[in-house]
Amino acid sequence: MGAAEETHEGPAAGAPARVRLRFAPSGVDVKVPGGVTVFDAASWNGIAIDSTCGGHGTCKKCRVRITEGEVPVSKLDSRAFTPDELRDGWRLACRIQTQGDLDVDVPPLVTRPKAATVGVGRQVILRPAIVKRHLQLEEATLSDQRTDVQRVMDAMDDLELTVPIGVLRTLGPALRAAQWDVTAVVADGELIGIEAGDTTARRYAIAFDLGTTTVVANLLDLDTGTPVAVRSMLNKQQPFGADVISRISATMMDPEALAKLQELAHETLAELADEVIEQGQVAREEVYEVVLAGNATMTQIALGIDPEPLGVAPFVMAAMGYEGLRATDLGVHVHPLAPATVFPSLGAYVGGDITAGILATGLDRDRRLRLFIDVGTNCEIAIGNQDRIVATAAPAGPAFEAASIRCGMRAAPGAIELVTIEPDGVELGVIDDAEPVGMCGSGLVDAVSELVRVGLLDASGKYLTDEEAAERLPGLADRLVTVDGERVFVLAWTGEPGDAAKSVFLSQRDVRELQFAKAAIATGWRLLLEELDIPESDIQQVLLAGSFGSYLSAKSAIRIGLVPKLPIPRIVSAGNVAGEGAKMAVLSIQERHAGRALVDEIEYLELSDRADFNDRFVDELAFPGGS
Amino acid sequence: MGAAEETHEGPAAGAPARVRLRFAPSGVDVKVPGGVTVFDAASWNGIAIDSTCGGHGTCKKCRVRITEGEVPVSKLDSRAFTPDELRDGWRLACRIQTQGDLDVDVPPLVTRPKAATVGVGRQVILRPAIVKRHLQLEEATLSDQRTDVQRVMDAMDDLELTVPIGVLRTLGPALRAAQWDVTAVVADGELIGIEAGDTTARRYAIAFDLGTTTVVANLLDLDTGTPVAVRSMLNKQQPFGADVISRISATMMDPEALAKLQELAHETLAELADEVIEQGQVAREEVYEVVLAGNATMTQIALGIDPEPLGVAPFVMAAMGYEGLRATDLGVHVHPLAPATVFPSLGAYVGGDITAGILATGLDRDRRLRLFIDVGTNCEIAIGNQDRIVATAAPAGPAFEAASIRCGMRAAPGAIELVTIEPDGVELGVIDDAEPVGMCGSGLVDAVSELVRVGLLDASGKYLTDEEAAERLPGLADRLVTVDGERVFVLAWTGEPGDAAKSVFLSQRDVRELQFAKAAIATGWRLLLEELDIPESDIQQVLLAGSFGSYLSAKSAIRIGLVPKLPIPRIVSAGNVAGEGAKMAVLSIQERHAGRALVDEIEYLELSDRADFNDRFVDELAFPGGS
């Protein structure tokens, strides 16, 4: 399907692997893959070059001057410039396929290209895969019997188009009913619709973040790059288990489960689509595309592909990426031929959500060495910069989801999410300022971190004895009690006074659970650092991603050793980066290609294959502590 | 979909338009498009070069020696030959992309490439779009976590494959159930199936000829190139009219008619598919492809595309060709992902049946100047050779289908198909030697031709008066009578003796009908000859195609002026060339590409646009006569 378009967009055969571009007057100096156009390279690096057509060679506004390096004169150049200008090095930036190093002089803007800020502070130049063209066609005559499709193609001869049979079925009547005054809707090289009159201002798409727990839909206006509506809901697959492993197990137990799970994923996506379409008050058939980021299991299930091989060693995916999909393949009913783009997965446990997240953070474009951690039952970790990225998955277990924690709960009203412990008492932050009923993942990390800091937990994760506690921390000792034969620390007395069993507490076993989780994660990033042969202190930023990571206190994360010991401002909450990556892929075809390329660029390290994993894991169980 | 494959198959960029190849020892000297491989060029020109892989670069058997001209050494060449051999000019024919003139020495065959004789005496080297590969894959391990699809692709890394979601859904379970010992089914660059074990010997496809009247299905064994079963039936659309115009009219009158007609076409094709599958005793899911040749109206209706613009000036098609179709789009249920290839149409009245027919006759590959006429209600005419072909459509009207002829009937038992008239009587050939009940098209042409020859009809097509007849042809004069006020010639007295109204006769108006038909056709080919600036006598062969053309007597066709006045052996009945072209496209991807290319190569001349058409038509009404 998209092959023709990709040829068009891709680098020319025989181009050098990398070329250096220096832009004046900005002074920006970058290396880009040979064959990329100067226009695209500039877009990627945040340099605004004039353009109204978005690099399609039709507006002739992207004038730049080459002051160093050779660039042949293209056909369009000779129409856009005088011979004197050509001699002076003027060229159209969108026609220059870089074949060697260049110095490029960029004139000040006349038209400001549309751009949107998405991801982690990323500026994306709007260039959606969905393109609309208003066409006023000549009516057919006996001396001009071109076919209907040819007439439409000829009016857009800068695009290489394929036309699916669904469009051919409606094309003739549509052209004639509209008296040959139509708007063509093109999706990444495919003509997906012909609309009467000029509808170019109305173009929408939906970006989905299909999480195991939560699913988010963003309706975007492709003309302005702005979000029109956003909605989220719990994944309707919840009855089949909270995490991917339980859902995979369900499909292994029951041959009907896969179909049912797929249906529930489709229902979730379809309902969200309906909601954002209603909230945004747009026409359903003017939503021309959907993009989805999800982990490998969610993606395979949504596409109806048996996830069993993801759940058992050697953890094999059906495919990294999927081409030629339509929104209907995901159960989403918008424009009937709307394509669907699904972010590719790097491995069974480093899925499309992570590819999208890495795209959103620009990990692969930044000079700084950064550590990306998506904290959850399965924890994905990547370290790298523009030169190299390595990634892995660490089996953190359910501690962060608080599922295996005695008083654990999801981050909902009544969940303790912040904990401060001083020798004379405990201070809690509860979601919605409600009465505490349990603690969520961030509360758990805070609680353990604070208990380590005040010394009620030692570095090995063991509670003090009653005697030690009474001696060293008399103000807290009455909270250290025994419930069901296990030592617990009471965070909140929620039952009868003194009835620890009905309080919100943290048990010795809960502490062990968190220790295992953090040890798995720390082992993961330490092994990646070793792979890169880089000391921990070289990490310039830690990005905590995912719904859990976003709420984690940086101080606590450092204190329990979940993240490297770095100055607190370097630990950054990155938010829902998967959803942001999906939005970027909707807004820019360049970003989409970059997202696809990530699976080839990122090196995947399989931890379960490493003989030294268990020893390293044990080394990481201790809490480093610190203020 | 097929874009990647086409890039692979197509000529290299920058290759010269045409290069000359001289093959020794055969002495064949041809010009081919630059960039075509020597292997393909040889196949096209009937020169057998050793090969078991069909030009995929895997068998290394297509060894040839270049004795004149430069050919770089390919990667495969250096593995296939010694340095001495390379210096001597030895190369693999399938890797030589022709960039200049070459002399090629072809060694005698060791393995005989499979070939089939189809079309009009054409030898086609078997190279179907459907390829099967038996794969014995390594099982996945923790140190080899390639995705299922990657593992399959890597085992066929000489092919560039796309994998549709339907295959991805079944791939994982299929590989594991078969313990990684599978056969991959590839259709023109798309992986359409994975089968357990080695099924490479079982590969089938169906070639359809979708006529307005008759539909034919040919089941072919792609491994041997042989037909396994053939069936035909009347097009179930018959109740909507005998010709394309009545069916188009039906869709204009009734908004439901298009859907109904499409359904009837699908039913016809599906029933025929069922019949050949049963007759051939093959498994339905081992039929991997269908190819269809039909006129533009039949094709558009079968695909559900409104045919109205084909029926009214300026006679515009929705599209020339259709890509990315599946058999299910034609209502045919064989392998669920079987692709469908539909022959492209040149114009509203020179359809895919004619493109297929021209392919089958090799009109575009022959040095001889040949005239191709598909005789019917709409008559398609093409003249040309390997250098240039021009084509047109002539509105012959229903005379040849015998629908507008008083005693006309379809070529069925009881139809007079041969007529000989001597001064003393009439001799008839009747289908199935039955009692005559009417005459079919070839009987009509014979009758008129014979009446002109004996002189009962004058050159203007008028019957002699009774007096003239009694004087000049007393032995026939009693057959020249008046029925319903119109002069008729009785061919067979089938009622009471002397009751002309109940006999099988030829009326004055019937003669006029035939005159109009033959004048339209003769005007067509004369205008084409003028376009080429070539005298009638230069035509070296006339190919009469279609079910009617095949039964026409050459002598009669010449005598009434339907075809140029040439020696009788030069008038050849070509048979069902549309069906043969469809078979060729099934058996050879080269032939299929050649068929697609025809629509760009053939020049179409629109007759209804010509101011001189009516004058020329009147000039052609007379019968030339002659022995």
Side-chain angles (χ1 to χ4, degrees), chain A residues 1-4 7 140-151 162-165 168-169 171-173 176 180 262 302-306 309 313-325 329 604 606 608-609, chain B residues 1-4 7 140-151 162-165 168-169 171-173 176 180 262 302-306 309 313-325 329 604 606 608-609:
Chain A
M1 223 188 66
T7 311
T141 63
L142 278 176
S143 54
D144 172 12
Q145 294 179 311
R146 280 174 298 160
T147 64
D148 290 343
V149 73
Q150 194 60 48
R151 192 170 302 275
T162 59
V163 187
I165 184 70
L168 284 172
R169 286 202 185 105
L171 185 63
R176 288 166 183 83
W180 310 90
Q262 184 188 15
L303 292 172
I305 301 169
D306 182 11
F315 315 114
V316 171
M317 298 190 290
M320 284 184 147
Y322 301 90
E323 300 293 320
L325 298 176
D329 290 320
Y604 179 70
E606 174 65 49
S608 55
D609 193 25
Chain B
M1 228 188 64
T7 310
T141 62
L142 280 175
S143 54
D144 173 11
Q145 293 179 312
R146 280 175 298 160
T147 64
D148 289 343
V149 74
Q150 194 60 48
R151 193 171 302 274
T162 59
V163 188
I165 185 70
L168 285 172
R169 286 200 185 106
L171 185 62
R176 288 166 183 82
W180 309 91
Q262 184 187 15
L303 292 172
I305 302 170
D306 182 9
F315 315 115
V316 171
M317 298 190 289
M320 285 183 146
Y322 302 90
E323 299 294 319
L325 299 176
D329 291 320
Y604 179 69
E606 174 63 49
S608 54
D609 192 27

Side-chain angles (χ1 to χ4, degrees), chain B residues 146-441:
Chain B
R146 280 175 298 160
T147 64
D148 289 343
V149 74
Q150 194 60 48
R151 193 171 302 274
V152 172
M153 303 270 236
D154 288 350
M156 297 187 283
D157 61 0
D158 56 316
L159 302 177
E160 272 186 68
L161 295 179
T162 59
V163 188
I165 185 70
V167 170
L168 285 172
R169 286 200 185 106
T170 56
L171 185 62
L175 290 175
R176 288 166 183 82
Q179 292 174 298
W180 309 91
D181 181 336
V182 294
T183 297
V185 189
V186 175
D188 210 3
E190 186 181 44
L191 180 72
I192 62 164
I194 287 286
E195 300 172 350
D198 181 357
T199 66
T200 48
R202 301 199 302 274
R203 250 191 314 165
Y204 303 93
I206 299 176
F208 287 108
D209 164 26
L210 176 60
T212 310
T213 307
T214 307
V215 186
V216 186
N218 258 287
L219 177 68
L220 294 156
D221 182 332
L222 301 181
D223 204 43
T224 60
T226 49
V228 179
V230 56
R231 294 300 283 257
S232 71
M233 64 168 68
L234 286 180
N235 189 325
K236 288 177 188 279
Q237 295 174 341
Q238 295 286 344
F240 285 82
D243 54 34
V244 297
I245 292 297
S246 20
R247 300 203 196 151
I248 294 172
S249 306
T251 67
M252 293 164 67
M253 309 291 214
D254 173 7
E256 308 290 309
L258 172 57
K260 185 67 192 154
L261 280 164
Q262 184 187 15
E263 198 187 316
L264 291 169
H266 287 192
E267 278 175 20
T268 311
L269 296 171
E271 261 185 46
L272 279 171
D274 291 350
E275 288 183 10
V276 290
I277 284 170
E278 201 191 320
Q279 188 186 334
Q281 292 188 288
V282 306
R284 179 178 296 277
E285 58 282 4
E286 287 179 346
V287 177
Y288 300 104
E289 187 178 34
V290 304
V291 171
L292 181 141
N295 64 48
T297 303
M298 286 304 107
T299 302
Q300 288 202 184
I301 290 177
L303 292 172
I305 302 170
D306 182 9
E308 177 174 341
L310 299 171
V312 293
F315 315 115
V316 171
M317 298 190 289
M320 285 183 146
Y322 302 90
E323 299 294 319
L325 299 176
R326 304 232 181 246
T328 49
D329 291 320
L330 296 169
V332 176
H333 297 280
V334 285
H335 183 281
L337 291 174
T341 295
V342 169
F343 266 89
S345 295
L346 200 65
Y349 291 98
V350 181
D353 51 346
I354 302 309
T355 319
I358 289 176
L359 180 72
T361 58
L363 200 67
D364 61 320
R365 315 261 180 95
D366 211 293
R367 281 199 180 77
R368 295 173 295 170
L369 186 78
R370 297 194 288 169
L371 166 60
F372 172 100
I373 307 181
D374 189 318
V375 186
T377 304
N378 174 60
C379 184
E380 298 93 347
I381 308 163
I383 302 184
N385 59 15
Q386 59 184 15
D387 299 323
R388 190 178 170 199
I389 299 178
V390 290
T392 192
F400 294 114
E401 315 282 359
S404 59
I405 302 299
R406 274 290 293 268
C407 298
M409 68 177 284
R410 188 179 290 141
I416 297 169
E417 58 169 352
L418 291 167
V419 179
T420 315
I421 303 178
E422 296 300 340
D424 55 353
V426 172
E427 205 174 304
L428 303 175
V430 181
I431 295 180
D432 279 4
D433 289 326
E435 275 300 294
V437 292
M439 78 187 115
C440 64

